[in-house]
Amino acid sequence: MTFESALTFFVAIFIFGITPGPGIFAILARALVLGGRSCFWLSFGMVISDICYLIFACLGLAAIAEHWGELFTVIRWAGAAYLCYLGWKLWTTPLDTEGEASSTAVPGRTGSFVQGFLISASNPKVILFYIAFLPTFMDLNALVFSDIVLASVLTLVALMMGLTLVAGFASMARRQFSSPVAMRRLNRSAGSLMIGAGAYLATRSS
């Protein structure tokens, strides 16, 4: 990764981290009841699960890029289409914030970590996102161990920053942050960025 691609990767992961989904709604539910600090281990579990998916995606895509160039091109196009699809879904899917917010059972640190890990690990869209996402920022034909470590560290910091901000703002501004209007605006902003990333990936040279 160059400095520019690493910085762009960091910003993109941060945006991905605050995009509404099961994990965000779980954090909102916890923060609205117990405050932002109670969400640390829940968030950390989600982030570690994401990093596992990131590493799997890096290793798998690197092997495909090295040995099956035509297949990798197909995957790149499919990834671009998937990012555009995610963006379209964010624009059009109705919001449902009640389901996650209704749960008030709060486990301890280990339980919260496991809960967060399972929330992310049980969502197949996470690894599909990374498969679609990584070719935009990495030369997978020349991927080395240090690139994976750097990507993992950037992901850890960006996601924890994003999730911590979500929890903090939710506890400070409950009505505004949990309102359907605010969520819809966040959805559409993130959706536009995902569509743009998909278009860039589709038009990019191999």
Side-chain angles (χ1 to χ4, degrees):
M1 271 193 199
T2 64
F3 175 79
E4 291 78 9
S5 63
L7 180 60
T8 308
F9 177 85
F10 179 87
V11 173
I13 290 293
F14 177 84
I15 293 170
F16 170 66
I18 63 175
T19 300
I24 289 295
F25 291 137
I27 288 175
L28 283 172
R30 179 78 62 84
L32 288 171
V33 175
L34 298 175
R37 292 184 180 181
S38 67
C39 298
F40 175 83
W41 291 102
L42 180 69
S43 301
F44 191 59
M46 293 179 196
V47 172
I48 294 302
S49 180
D50 269 48
I51 290 173
C52 291
Y53 272 143
L54 170 71
I55 293 171
F56 293 153
C58 282
L59 297 177
L61 287 174
I64 292 172
E66 182 178 356
H67 299 290
W68 296 287
E70 293 80 6
L71 177 59
F72 181 73
T73 300
V74 173
I75 290 175
R76 185 166 60 84
W77 275 90
Y82 181 69
L83 288 177
C84 291
Y85 168 76
L86 285 181
W88 176 76
K89 290 290 286 183
L90 285 170
W91 262 87
T92 59
T93 300
L95 296 171
D96 178 16
T97 60
E98 297 299 325
E100 292 291 342
S102 62
S103 174
T104 57
V106 181
R109 291 181 179 180
T110 301
S112 293
F113 176 87
V114 172
Q115 182 184 13
F117 188 93
L118 292 177
I119 287 172
S120 184
S122 63
N123 185 2
K125 292 182 180 180
V126 175
I127 194 167
L128 291 176
F129 175 81
Y130 284 119
I131 289 174
F133 190 68
L134 289 174
T136 306
F137 299 95
M138 294 184 180
D139 181 1
L140 295 168
N141 290 293
L143 188 67
V144 295
F145 178 74
S146 60
D147 291 325
I148 298 177
V149 172
L150 176 59
S152 298
V153 172
L154 291 173
T155 299
L156 172 66
V157 176
L159 289 181
M160 284 303 295
M161 281 182 59
L163 296 177
T164 299
L165 284 174
V166 168
F169 281 125
S171 63
M172 285 170 29
R174 297 182 180 185
R175 290 184 180 179
Q176 293 83 351
F177 196 78
S178 60
S179 71
V181 173
M183 283 293 188
R184 188 174 295 110
R185 288 174 179 170
L186 182 59
N187 268 5
R188 290 183 174 180
S189 298
S192 299
L193 290 167
M194 284 192 182
I195 291 172
Y200 172 76
L201 183 58
T203 56
R204 172 180 184 192
S205 59
S206 302

